Structures are given as C-alpha cells and as structure tokens.
Amino acid sequence: MTRPARRTDAAHLALTYRALHGFGLTGTIVVGTIVITGLINAWLLVGLGNLPTLGTTVYGRLLIAKLVLLGGMLGLASLNRFRFTPAFERSVSAGDYKGALRTLRTSLAVEASCVVAILVLVGWLGTLEPSASAM
C-alpha cells in the first residue's frame, strides 16, 4: 500500500533512497545474468540461421516484441539509477516529498506495466513452436 505524500516523512523517504541506491549493484548483476541466459536461450531456440527471417513467424514477432519491452525496461532502469534516484535524493533533501514520490511512483508503474506485458508474452511464447524447430 502506498502512503500519501502528506503522510510521508523524511526518514521514510531517506530509507527509500538508501534502498534504491543500494539496489544498483544487485540489479546490474541480475540484469547481466538475464541478458546472458536470454542470449543462450535464443541461440538454442531460434538458431543463428533463422535470425534474418525472425519477423516472419508469430513466434519471432512475439519474441521481438518481448525484446523491445525488455529494452524499454533496461532504459528505464538506467534512468532510475542515474537520473531518477539522484533526483529523488535531491527532492528529499529539499523537502519536496510530493515531487520525489511522483517521479518514483510513475517510474515504478511504467516498469511494472512492462513486466506484466513481458510475462504475458513469455507465457504466449511458451505455447508456440520456436523458430529453430519450425524451419
């Protein structure tokens, strides 16, 4: 449950900033692992020879859509780490709790929407025959 800005104090926001700032290294390791395992999985399921024709199959188009959403999430994660988190800290220091919360909540809502869309696509992809076996 989210707290309204009027009920959020500096101590709570400082703790939130520490959590956001501290997640940077863990998030980088997790994202790197996901990217590496995703590349291996794509190589096994799609095959390098099928990359030029990937957009001609339903599986390929869904995979491309998933990759675009993942790229968007990675871009948003970069913004969170290098722009929004420092701006959040500056807003908290300046006492602008509403501005800090608004930026954080918007960013998290967009990221959560991307996650849900990716999970839907992954579920759909699981019901289809991968490109390597279809060609």
Side-chain angles (χ1 to χ4, degrees):
M1 179 154 192
T2 60
R3 293 181 184 195
R6 67 184 179 281
R7 290 189 38 218
T8 304
D9 59 4
H12 177 77
L13 291 174
L15 184 62
T16 301
Y17 168 74
R18 281 195 1 229
L20 289 170
H21 185 71
F23 184 71
L25 178 61
T26 303
T28 301
I29 292 169
V30 169
V31 167
T33 303
I34 289 171
V35 168
I36 290 169
T37 59
L39 289 171
I40 293 168
N41 198 31
W43 175 55
L44 295 172
L45 292 176
V46 175
L48 294 176
N50 292 326
L51 286 179
T53 59
L54 193 60
T56 63
T57 65
V58 173
Y59 185 91
R61 287 189 295 273
L62 291 175
L63 182 60
I64 291 168
K66 180 184 126 184
L67 292 173
V68 166
L69 283 169
L70 180 63
M73 278 186 60
L74 291 177
L76 188 55
S78 292
L79 281 173
N80 278 334
R81 183 168 183 189
F82 299 112
R83 182 167 285 204
F84 295 153
T85 299
F88 180 85
E89 199 253 342
R90 284 191 302 274
S91 293
V92 170
S93 296
D96 179 16
Y97 303 156
K98 286 184 181 184
L101 286 175
R102 182 175 47 251
T103 301
L104 180 63
R105 287 177 178 163
T106 301
S107 171
L108 292 175
V110 171
E111 266 190 89
S113 299
C114 287
V115 168
V116 169
I118 287 172
L119 289 175
V120 167
L121 288 171
V122 167
W124 192 356
L125 283 165
T127 66
L128 300 174
E129 190 173 353
S131 297
S133 58
M135 299 180 159

Coordinates of all heavy atoms in Angstrom, one line a residue, residues 41-42 44-47 50 53-54 56-63 121-135:
N41 N 19.6 -18.9 -24.6 CA 18.3 -19.5 -24.9 C 17.8 -19.1 -26.3 O 17.3 -20.0 -27.0 CB 17.2 -19.0 -23.9 CG 16.0 -19.8 -23.8 OD1 16.1 -21.0 -24.0 ND2 14.9 -19.2 -23.5
A42 N 18.0 -17.9 -26.7 CA 17.6 -17.5 -28.1 C 18.5 -18.3 -29.1 O 17.9 -18.8 -30.1 CB 17.8 -16.0 -28.3
L44 N 19.7 -21.3 -28.7 CA 19.2 -22.7 -28.8 C 17.8 -22.8 -29.4 O 17.6 -23.8 -30.1 CB 19.2 -23.2 -27.3 CG 20.6 -23.4 -26.7 CD1 20.4 -23.8 -25.2 CD2 21.4 -24.4 -27.4
L45 N 17.0 -21.9 -29.1 CA 15.6 -22.0 -29.6 C 15.4 -21.4 -31.0 O 14.5 -21.9 -31.7 CB 14.6 -21.3 -28.6 CG 14.5 -21.9 -27.3 CD1 13.6 -21.1 -26.4 CD2 13.9 -23.3 -27.4
V46 N 16.1 -20.4 -31.3 CA 15.9 -19.7 -32.6 C 16.9 -20.2 -33.6 O 16.6 -20.5 -34.8 CB 15.8 -18.2 -32.5 CG1 15.7 -17.5 -33.8 CG2 14.7 -17.7 -31.6
G47 N 18.2 -20.2 -33.2 CA 19.3 -20.5 -34.1 C 19.7 -19.3 -34.9 O 18.9 -18.4 -35.3
N50 N 18.3 -18.5 -38.4 CA 16.9 -18.1 -38.5 C 16.7 -16.6 -38.1 O 15.6 -16.1 -38.2 CB 16.0 -18.9 -37.6 CG 15.9 -20.3 -38.1 OD1 15.9 -20.6 -39.3 ND2 15.8 -21.3 -37.2
T53 N 15.0 -14.2 -40.8 CA 13.5 -14.4 -41.0 C 12.7 -14.4 -39.7 O 11.6 -14.9 -39.7 CB 13.4 -15.8 -41.8 OG1 13.9 -16.8 -40.9 CG2 14.0 -15.8 -43.1
L54 N 13.3 -14.0 -38.6 CA 12.6 -14.0 -37.4 C 11.2 -13.3 -37.4 O 10.3 -13.7 -36.8 CB 13.5 -13.4 -36.3 CG 13.1 -13.6 -34.8 CD1 13.1 -15.1 -34.5 CD2 14.1 -12.9 -33.9
T56 N 9.1 -13.1 -39.6 CA 8.1 -13.7 -40.5 C 7.2 -14.7 -39.8 O 6.2 -15.2 -40.3 CB 8.7 -14.4 -41.7 OG1 9.6 -15.5 -41.3 CG2 9.5 -13.4 -42.5
T57 N 7.5 -15.1 -38.5 CA 6.7 -16.1 -37.8 C 6.1 -15.4 -36.6 O 6.5 -14.3 -36.1 CB 7.6 -17.2 -37.3 OG1 8.5 -16.7 -36.3 CG2 8.3 -17.9 -38.4
V58 N 5.0 -16.0 -36.1 CA 4.3 -15.4 -34.9 C 5.3 -15.5 -33.7 O 5.4 -14.5 -33.0 CB 3.0 -16.2 -34.6 CG1 2.4 -15.8 -33.3 CG2 2.0 -16.0 -35.7
Y59 N 6.0 -16.6 -33.6 CA 6.9 -16.7 -32.5 C 8.0 -15.6 -32.6 O 8.3 -15.0 -31.6 CB 7.6 -18.1 -32.6 CG 8.6 -18.4 -31.4 CD1 8.1 -19.0 -30.3 CD2 9.9 -18.0 -31.5 CE1 8.9 -19.3 -29.2 CE2 10.8 -18.2 -30.4 CZ 10.3 -18.9 -29.3 OH 11.1 -19.1 -28.2
G60 N 8.5 -15.4 -33.8 CA 9.5 -14.4 -34.0 C 9.0 -13.0 -33.6 O 9.7 -12.2 -33.0
R61 N 7.8 -12.7 -34.1 CA 7.3 -11.3 -33.8 C 7.0 -11.1 -32.3 O 7.3 -10.0 -31.8 CB 6.0 -11.1 -34.6 CG 6.3 -10.9 -36.1 CD 5.1 -10.4 -36.9 NE 4.0 -11.4 -37.0 CZ 3.9 -12.4 -37.9 NH1 4.8 -12.5 -38.8 NH2 2.9 -13.3 -37.9
L62 N 6.5 -12.2 -31.6 CA 6.3 -12.1 -30.2 C 7.7 -11.9 -29.5 O 7.8 -11.1 -28.5 CB 5.6 -13.3 -29.7 CG 4.1 -13.4 -30.1 CD1 3.5 -14.7 -29.6 CD2 3.3 -12.2 -29.6
L63 N 8.7 -12.6 -29.9 CA 10.0 -12.5 -29.3 C 10.6 -11.1 -29.5 O 11.1 -10.5 -28.6 CB 10.9 -13.6 -29.9 CG 12.4 -13.6 -29.4 CD1 12.3 -13.9 -27.9 CD2 13.2 -14.7 -30.1
L121 N 3.8 -12.1 -22.7 CA 4.4 -12.6 -23.9 C 5.2 -13.9 -23.7 O 5.2 -14.8 -24.6 CB 5.4 -11.5 -24.5 CG 4.7 -10.3 -25.1 CD1 5.7 -9.2 -25.4 CD2 3.9 -10.7 -26.4
V122 N 5.9 -14.0 -22.6 CA 6.6 -15.2 -22.3 C 5.6 -16.4 -22.2 O 5.9 -17.5 -22.7 CB 7.4 -15.1 -21.0 CG1 8.0 -16.4 -20.5 CG2 8.6 -14.1 -21.2
G123 N 4.5 -16.2 -21.5 CA 3.5 -17.3 -21.5 C 3.0 -17.6 -22.8 O 2.8 -18.8 -23.2
W124 N 2.8 -16.7 -23.7 CA 2.3 -16.9 -25.1 C 3.4 -17.6 -25.9 O 3.1 -18.6 -26.6 CB 1.9 -15.6 -25.7 CG 1.1 -15.7 -27.0 CD1 0.8 -16.8 -27.7 CD2 0.6 -14.6 -27.7 NE1 0.1 -16.5 -28.8 CE2 0.0 -15.2 -28.9 CE3 0.6 -13.3 -27.5 CZ2 -0.7 -14.4 -29.8 CZ3 0.0 -12.5 -28.5 CH2 -0.7 -13.0 -29.6
L125 N 4.6 -17.2 -25.7 CA 5.7 -17.8 -26.5 C 5.9 -19.3 -26.0 O 6.2 -20.1 -26.9 CB 7.0 -17.1 -26.2 CG 7.2 -15.8 -26.9 CD1 8.4 -15.0 -26.3 CD2 7.5 -16.0 -28.4
G126 N 5.6 -19.6 -24.8 CA 5.7 -21.0 -24.3 C 4.7 -21.9 -25.0 O 4.9 -23.1 -24.9
T127 N 3.7 -21.4 -25.6 CA 2.7 -22.2 -26.2 C 3.0 -22.4 -27.7 O 2.3 -23.2 -28.4 CB 1.2 -21.6 -26.1 OG1 1.2 -20.4 -26.9 CG2 0.9 -21.4 -24.7
L128 N 4.0 -21.7 -28.2 CA 4.3 -21.8 -29.7 C 5.6 -22.6 -29.9 O 6.4 -22.7 -29.0 CB 4.5 -20.4 -30.2 CG 3.3 -19.4 -30.1 CD1 3.6 -18.0 -30.5 CD2 2.1 -20.0 -30.9
E129 N 5.7 -23.0 -31.1 CA 6.9 -23.7 -31.6 C 8.0 -22.7 -31.9 O 7.8 -21.8 -32.7 CB 6.6 -24.6 -32.8 CG 7.6 -25.5 -33.2 CD 7.2 -26.5 -34.3 OE1 6.0 -26.5 -34.6 OE2 8.1 -27.2 -34.8
P130 N 9.2 -22.9 -31.3 CA 10.3 -21.9 -31.6 C 10.7 -22.0 -33.0 O 10.5 -23.0 -33.7 CB 11.4 -22.4 -30.7 CG 10.8 -23.2 -29.6 CD 9.6 -23.8 -30.3
S131 N 11.3 -20.9 -33.5 CA 11.7 -20.7 -34.9 C 12.6 -21.8 -35.4 O 12.5 -22.3 -36.5 CB 12.3 -19.3 -35.1 OG 11.3 -18.4 -34.9
A132 N 13.6 -22.2 -34.5 CA 14.6 -23.2 -35.0 C 13.9 -24.5 -35.3 O 14.4 -25.2 -36.3 CB 15.6 -23.4 -33.9
S133 N 12.9 -24.9 -34.6 CA 12.3 -26.2 -34.9 C 11.2 -26.0 -36.0 O 10.8 -27.0 -36.5 CB 11.7 -26.8 -33.6 OG 10.7 -25.9 -33.1
A134 N 10.7 -24.8 -36.2 CA 9.7 -24.6 -37.2 C 10.3 -24.5 -38.6 O 9.6 -24.6 -39.6 CB 8.9 -23.3 -36.9
M135 N 11.6 -24.2 -38.8 CA 12.2 -24.0 -40.1 C 13.1 -25.1 -40.5 O 13.7 -25.8 -39.9 CB 12.9 -22.7 -40.1 CG 12.0 -21.6 -39.8 SD 12.8 -20.0 -39.9 CE 11.5 -18.9 -40.1

